[in-house]
Amino acid sequence: MKGYTTIEQIENYLLTDIDLGFYDQIEKWIESAEDYIEKETGRVFIADETASVKLYDGNGEGVLFIDDAVEITSVKINGEEVKFYPYPVNKTPITKIAITEKFTKGRQNIEVEARWGYSDEVPHAIRQVATILVAGIIEKSLNANGELKSISLGQYSATFESVIKDKERETFDMLKKYKRYSLTNI
């Protein structure tokens, strides 16, 4: 689990206590909700604790779009460190870097070392969506009334769309404002 929500937050949302015997299953549902949120938005919402390197293709321009980062440690072009400017300024996530010259065109010749992710703490709206997704699965499993499209006994299965109640769809729409759109079609 990455930490988008907790069992305690789900219990508070549902206004009930969850039996300890179900904690393992709830944690699996939390992981599934986190994966779903990341897939839908194209973002990882809690940044890595340590920096790591990602490679990018040089584009021959002075600006390079990168994955979300909260801190950039270094930028190298063809193995040589260069001075860089992160954007947006004084705000996260950092989504592009600029240099005074140009990023040399090439394949995987730009090395960016950073702490990758959207922020150090999960945004409140994302925490709320993760909580609602898992709470919805729990409610549907407790009150199954034929609304589920499918269910399996070995491993509980339901689409997230089927577990979100109509009154909660507004909350689910919060994901849309966090969606990252790619500028390239690679």
Side-chain angles (χ1 to χ4, degrees):
M1 289 187 333
K2 297 173 180 107
Y4 290 11
T5 190
T6 65
I7 292 174
E8 180 182 4
Q9 290 164 337
I10 295 164
E11 288 175 325
N12 290 342
Y13 180 83
L14 292 171
L15 300 175
T16 189
D17 291 328
I18 296 171
D19 186 281
L20 291 173
F22 291 103
Y23 274 29
D24 286 343
Q25 182 60 56
I26 302 299
E27 287 175 355
K28 289 177 187 174
W29 288 338
I30 290 171
E31 287 178 23
S32 294
E34 292 169 340
D35 290 344
Y36 177 79
I37 289 168
E38 289 179 2
K39 181 177 177 260
E40 284 298 306
T41 61
R43 293 195 142 112
V44 175
F45 288 95
I46 298 178
D48 300 331
E49 291 184 21
T50 58
S52 61
V53 172
K54 288 190 179 187
L55 298 175
Y56 293 90
D57 293 345
N59 59 10
E61 298 175 14
V63 174
L64 183 71
F65 287 90
I66 61 170
D67 296 314
D68 293 342
V70 296
E71 176 185 25
I72 299 176
T73 308
S74 72
V75 176
K76 295 180 182 177
I77 301 174
N78 296 322
E80 291 192 35
E81 197 159 343
V82 297
K83 183 174 172 89
F84 64 92
Y85 305 93
Y87 289 94
V89 178
N90 302 320
K91 185 178 170 186
T92 58
I94 298 165
T95 56
K96 64 182 175 179
I97 49 179
I99 59 175
T100 53
E101 301 297 318
K102 293 186 178 186
F103 289 99
T104 308
K105 278 191 173 191
R107 295 281 182 200
Q108 300 178 9
N109 63 328
I110 310 300
E111 184 179 301
V112 180
E113 183 175 8
R115 287 185 44 233
W116 303 103
Y118 185 86
S119 62
D120 283 318
E121 293 184 26
V122 68
H124 177 73
I126 297 301
R127 182 175 309 283
Q128 185 73 9
V129 170
T131 301
I132 289 170
L133 288 172
V134 178
I137 292 172
I138 293 167
E139 286 179 332
K140 286 294 183 182
S141 66
L142 292 173
N143 304 317
N145 59 3
E147 292 179 24
L148 287 176
K149 293 179 183 174
S150 67
I151 187 168
S152 74
L153 298 174
Q155 202 172 35
Y156 184 80
S157 173
T159 63
F160 283 114
E161 285 293 323
S162 70
V163 300
I164 302 171
K165 294 187 276 183
D166 289 338
K167 67 182 180 181
E168 295 166 335
R169 289 201 188 275
E170 275 182 48
T171 305
F172 180 73
D173 285 342
M174 285 189 276
L175 280 181
K176 290 179 184 175
K177 80 175 196 174
Y178 288 94
K179 188 169 182 72
R180 180 168 177 150
Y181 296 93
S182 175
L183 296 175
T184 61
N185 291 333
I186 296 178

